[in-house]
Amino acid sequence: MRIHVLGSSAGGGLPQWNCNCPNCQSARDLKQTAISARTQSSIALTDTGDAWVLFNASPDIRQQLNAFPELLKPNALRGTKIKAVILVDSQIDHTLGLMLLREGETLQLYCSAQVYEDLSTRLPLVNILQYYCGVQHHLISPGLAFSVPELPFLEFTPIGSLSKAPPYSAHRENPELGDNLAFSIYDQKTKKTLLYAPAIEKIDPDLYAYMENCDHLLLDGTFWSVDEMSAISTPYKKAYEMGHLAYSGPEGMMAQLRELSCPKTLIHINNTNPVLDQRSEQYQILKEQGFDLAYDTLEILL
Ligand code: MLT
Ligand code: MN
Ligand code: ZN
């Protein structure tokens, strides 16, 4: 399988429109190369290259797709190789881009019952899209593997990941297992498995077992530290209050995944994160612990 990172930043992107922190300043400055700008969280994935799925549809989708013309349908006046969109949750940064796909054919949307509820009630994107391209919903649930017809070699298994529903969701304070999904994606041709989990608050034994049995981990890279948002806003939320496991500290992601030797790439990196600056001590520690940072246009072949 081939994975193309469309967007590697968390919500807000890098630089964020209203932010003047050192990372955002640096990413805005075209004369420097130490910190590269990043769009919001999304990947595209294919088995043979003929058909693709998007995981998440970010507010930056127009820019992302225009930067990756391989997704256009060849030899046609209009058309796309994108056959479906799979959602990991109903967060703004993973869903607003659905609106921008309205010029296409009926949208094949794979998401949990909880995510569909959010997107048809409090943030009714799918209701609005009925007046444009239309939406066909494919219900997916933790533990139940599914496939997308146009990508016959890939098997997708959703895993109930413990994170947060968005602030606007009716489930924000009463989490349900389908609010956030991680995915194990198995390629029957290459016999390789990707574990994609851009929002993780806790690594429970079920998720860890999937992690042990994969060939590449593409994981929640939002925060280096639990208190990272304290430098930027008051009152601020701790990483876990936002549904994310920070990677430093004795209970952090790096410590919890120490035994896993497969390649580990972090995605959905927040603009506050010190590792974005490759000259930082934190970035050096991350590399020593066997982690890499995703960047926009990064490709992973499995
Ligand atoms: C998150 O992943 O926690 C959200 O993207 C935060 C946000 O919407 O700003
Ligand atoms: Mn997010
Ligand atoms: Zn910033």
Side-chain angles (χ1 to χ4, degrees), residues 117-244:
E117 183 195 322
D118 285 342
L119 298 182
S120 54
T121 57
R122 296 200 173 184
L123 180 64
L125 300 180
V126 297
N127 309 23
I128 294 168
L129 283 170
Q130 299 302 349
Y131 297 97
Y132 296 87
C133 55
V135 177
Q136 188 173 353
H137 176 217
H138 305 259
L139 177 66
I140 59 176
S141 306
L144 294 180
F146 68 94
S147 57
V148 174
E150 293 87 350
L151 290 88
F153 297 108
L154 299 186
E155 184 180 283
F156 300 86
T157 306
I159 305 156
S161 164
L162 305 169
S163 183
K164 290 266 183 299
Y168 74 80
S169 170
H171 312 142
R172 176 71 170 185
E173 305 305 330
N174 325 291
E176 296 182 12
L177 202 56
D179 285 331
N180 295 88
L181 297 173
F183 286 83
S184 166
I185 304 143
Y186 175 66
D187 187 324
Q188 289 165 2
K189 260 195 322 184
T190 63
K191 313 254 183 280
K192 301 279 188 198
T193 303
L194 171 74
L195 191 292
Y196 174 54
I200 305 172
E201 184 180 327
K202 285 198 184 77
I203 300 174
D204 67 0
D206 185 41
L207 180 57
Y208 191 81
Y210 279 104
M211 289 176 160
E212 280 183 301
N213 288 299
C214 78
D215 299 287
H216 200 117
L217 289 159
L218 191 52
L219 299 176
D220 184 343
T222 313
F223 294 121
W224 166 261
S225 67
V226 171
D227 286 317
E228 198 169 304
M229 293 300 280
S230 65
I232 214 109
S233 63
T234 39
Y236 74 95
K237 292 198 177 78
K238 307 249 189 210
Y240 52 81
E241 292 173 309
M242 298 179 71
H244 300 289

Side-chain angles (χ1 to χ4, degrees), residues 10-11 91 93-94 244 268:
Q91 293 275 8
D93 59 341
H94 286 156
H244 300 289
H268 189 279

